């Protein structure tokens, strides 16, 4: 019942770890996520293994569970040089029990328990662990779907960048961390002319091109129609200016292909810096917006920094 209340994968796995450890009365417990296509597992939660540890499914007992879609019990891990999940990782326990977390015909994960006593686990424990694993599978799958829906709701449909609402939330979140950051706002120059000359489909292609261009530059968002925003976290003002100039200069050399057309565009960019320019999200956006307006007002195709406007 407690598991089924969860919606976030991380919390569900953490809760499962603590709950199942109590049920099985064991010293250690681990949950790994399985990628059968690439033959690897990743430890997501564990009481004795470093989270994020990757391992080959060819190495040990956990891989064996995945390949055979079945449970494994070992009464004494000290016999026969057994590997639990990864070669070279020393075993500190003696008893082992593990079951697959199944998702229809594939394996979503593996859950395994270890104990310092020999012959700790029985067939009854297998039954209990299988019941728990089947519930975990249902909840885990639901959480994955929930995260996908949440991610889609946070994205702009045309560019795949974060949307305006999500951008505002993320900017607030980053500023609350108290680390310096740079906010870049930019706007396509004469975008109405692009739409009027080449049509709205061509305009959409321009928007998509810009989305692809900035998608890896930081926390990138479509701020409005033809306006974009980038949050550069843990970034100095100088580095932020360099990034903005690179975007502007790259566009000068670029041609956006649409059908038989080659469209050229320029952008006007405004930059503000936290904490030197502002202490609040609203003020930081306002400063960048004023700098952007100044760039447009004074000839376009340029970068204006809020601090230079004083």
């Amino acid at each position: 019942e407690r598991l089924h209340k969860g919606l976030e994968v991380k919390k569900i796995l953490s809760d499962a770890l603590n709950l199942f450890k109590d049920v099985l009365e064991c010293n250690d417990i681990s949950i790994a996520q399985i990628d059968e296509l690439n033959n690897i597992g990743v430890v997501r939660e564990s009481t004795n293994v470093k989270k994020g540890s990757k391992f080959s499914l060819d190495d040990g007992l956990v891989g064996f569970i995945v390949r055979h879609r079945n449970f494994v019990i070992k009464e004494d891990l000290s016999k026969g040089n057994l590997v639990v999940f990864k070669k070279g990782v020393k075993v500190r326990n003696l008893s082992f029990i593990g079951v697959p977390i199944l998702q229809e015909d594939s394996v979503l994960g593996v859950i395994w328990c270890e104990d310092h006593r020999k012959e700790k686990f029985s067939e009854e424990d297998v039954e209990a662990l299988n019941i728990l694993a089947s519930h975990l599978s249902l909840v885990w799958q639901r959480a994955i779907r929930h995260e996908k829906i949440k991610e889609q709701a946070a994205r702009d449909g045309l560019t795949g960048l974060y949307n305006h609402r999500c951008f505002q939330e993320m900017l607030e979140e980053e500023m609350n961390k108290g680390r310096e950051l740079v906010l870049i706002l930019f706007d396509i120059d004469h975008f109405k002319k692009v739409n009027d000359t080449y049509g709205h489909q061509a305009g959409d292609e321009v928007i998509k091109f810009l989305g692809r261009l900035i998608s890896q530059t930081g926390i990138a968002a479509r701020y409005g129609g033809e306006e974009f925003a980038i949050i550069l976290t843990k970034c100095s003002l100088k580095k932020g200016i360099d990034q903005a100039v690179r975007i502007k200069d790259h566009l000068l050399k670029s041609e956006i292909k649409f059908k038989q057309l080659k469209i050229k565009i320029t952008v006007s960019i405004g930059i503000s810096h936290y904490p030197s320019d502002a202490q609040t999200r609203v003020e930081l956006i306002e400063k960048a917006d004023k700098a952007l307006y100044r760039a447009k007002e004074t000839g376009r195709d340029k970068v204006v920094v809020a601090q230079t406007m004083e």
Side-chain angles (χ1 to χ4, degrees), residues 198-202 205 256-263:
Y198 305 111
H200 287 279
Q201 280 187 308
E205 204 53 49
I256 301 156
K257 295 177 178 66
F258 176 71
K259 295 180 179 175
Q260 309 305 316
L261 302 168
K262 290 178 180 176
I263 304 166

Side-chain angles (χ1 to χ4, degrees), residues 1-8 11-12 15 139 142-143:
E1 284 176 1
R2 276 180 60 186
L3 267 187
H4 281 276
K5 288 174 185 171
L7 275 176
E8 305 293 330
K11 187 172 187 321
I12 285 165
D15 285 349
V139 180
R142 190 186 67 202

Side-chain angles (χ1 to χ4, degrees), residues 44-55:
R44 292 293 300 268
E45 290 288 334
S46 179
T47 55
N48 65 330
V49 178
K50 187 181 176 187
K51 279 196 275 189
S53 299
K54 292 185 179 180
F55 57 94

Side-chain angles (χ1 to χ4, degrees), residues 10-189:
K10 192 175 185 314
K11 187 172 187 321
I12 285 165
L13 296 182
S14 175
D15 285 349
L17 198 79
N18 296 321
L19 292 166
F20 296 2
K21 188 172 182 288
D22 290 344
V23 172
L24 274 294
E25 297 176 341
C26 59
N27 293 119
D28 289 305
I29 184 164
S30 303
I31 301 171
Q33 189 164 359
I34 301 301
D35 178 354
E36 289 187 272
L37 182 65
N38 294 303
N39 202 45
I40 58 167
V42 182
V43 177
R44 292 293 300 268
E45 290 288 334
S46 179
T47 55
N48 65 330
V49 178
K50 187 181 176 187
K51 279 196 275 189
S53 299
K54 292 185 179 180
F55 57 94
S56 165
L57 299 182
D58 298 327
D59 285 356
L61 296 173
V62 175
F64 185 90
I65 290 166
V66 175
R67 289 195 301 279
H68 295 273
R69 308 283 200 271
N70 212 339
F71 73 90
V72 168
I73 291 183
K74 291 293 174 186
E75 295 177 343
D76 188 352
L77 292 172
S78 65
K79 290 179 181 174
N81 297 318
L82 290 169
V83 173
V84 171
F85 75 101
K86 187 177 184 178
K87 282 178 184 170
V89 176
K90 287 182 181 177
V91 176
R92 73 183 190 191
N93 292 297
L94 293 172
S95 295
F96 173 95
I97 183 174
V99 301
I101 302 165
L102 298 170
Q103 179 182 7
E104 294 175 359
D105 297 331
S106 62
V107 179
L108 180 60
V110 172
I111 181 163
W112 72 93
C113 306
E114 300 170 49
D115 198 86
H116 67 272
R117 293 160 287 189
K118 290 180 186 178
E119 302 177 19
K120 165 71 176 72
F121 303 112
S122 65
E123 295 283 337
E124 282 182 3
D125 293 321
V126 172
E127 200 177 328
L129 201 53
N130 271 326
I131 290 167
L132 295 170
S134 67
H135 279 279
L136 178 55
S137 175
L138 291 171
V139 180
W140 196 344
Q141 288 176 64
R142 190 186 67 202
I144 289 168
R145 286 194 297 272
H146 172 73
E147 285 186 358
K148 279 181 183 169
I149 291 164
K150 210 165 99 175
E151 181 68 14
Q152 284 167 354
R155 298 283 179 175
D156 167 61
L158 188 62
T159 62
L161 300 177
Y162 288 113
N163 58 29
H164 184 274
R165 177 187 58 78
C166 190
F167 159 78
Q168 295 280 359
E169 288 170 3
M170 291 174 96
L171 181 58
E172 186 82 43
E173 200 177 296
E174 290 300 327
M175 288 177 75
N176 285 340
K177 290 175 185 173
R179 299 187 298 228
E180 76 170 333
L181 62 82
V182 168
L183 174 61
I184 298 174
L185 287 184
F186 70 92
D187 199 281
I188 303 170
D189 296 327

Side-chain angles (χ1 to χ4, degrees), residues 254-296:
S254 299
E255 290 179 330
I256 301 156
K257 295 177 178 66
F258 176 71
K259 295 180 179 175
Q260 309 305 316
L261 302 168
K262 290 178 180 176
I263 304 166
K264 291 189 75 67
I265 58 163
T266 60
V267 292
S268 299
I269 301 177
I271 296 178
S272 59
H273 174 262
Y274 171 80
S276 58
D277 288 330
Q279 293 301 308
T280 68
R281 170 180 55 85
V282 173
E283 196 185 355
L284 193 71
I285 292 170
E286 210 171 77
K287 289 280 181 79
D289 208 35
K290 281 181 179 172
L292 167 59
Y293 183 75
R294 176 70 63 85
K296 284 196 161 304

